[in-house]
Amino acid sequence: MFVLVVAVPALLVVVLGYTVGHALWSAVGGPAPELAGWVTGLLLLGVVGWVLLRWARRR
């Protein structure tokens, strides 16, 4: 059950980043918007994870 508690929000963060990155890259007219979407999604996941770890360490 713990896996779902962690995996579902992580997947939502990646999908949000993918959607934003894909939309922005398509609007600019760049090649391979799927790649830009995945990179943006994974970067957003890394940033959110880093922020949560720092927050947890300070508590």
Side-chain angles (χ1 to χ4, degrees):
M1 187 66 169
F2 176 74
V3 173
L4 290 177
V5 171
V6 174
V8 171
L11 181 61
L12 289 174
V13 168
V14 172
V15 168
L16 176 68
Y18 178 88
T19 304
V20 170
H22 189 281
L24 289 176
W25 198 250
S26 293
V28 171
E34 291 83 15
L35 179 62
W38 280 112
V39 169
T40 307
L42 294 175
L43 282 174
L44 182 62
L45 180 63
V47 168
V48 168
W50 180 74
V51 167
L52 287 175
L53 283 174
R54 286 191 54 122
W55 177 75
R57 287 181 184 167
R58 286 187 181 183
R59 291 189 80 200

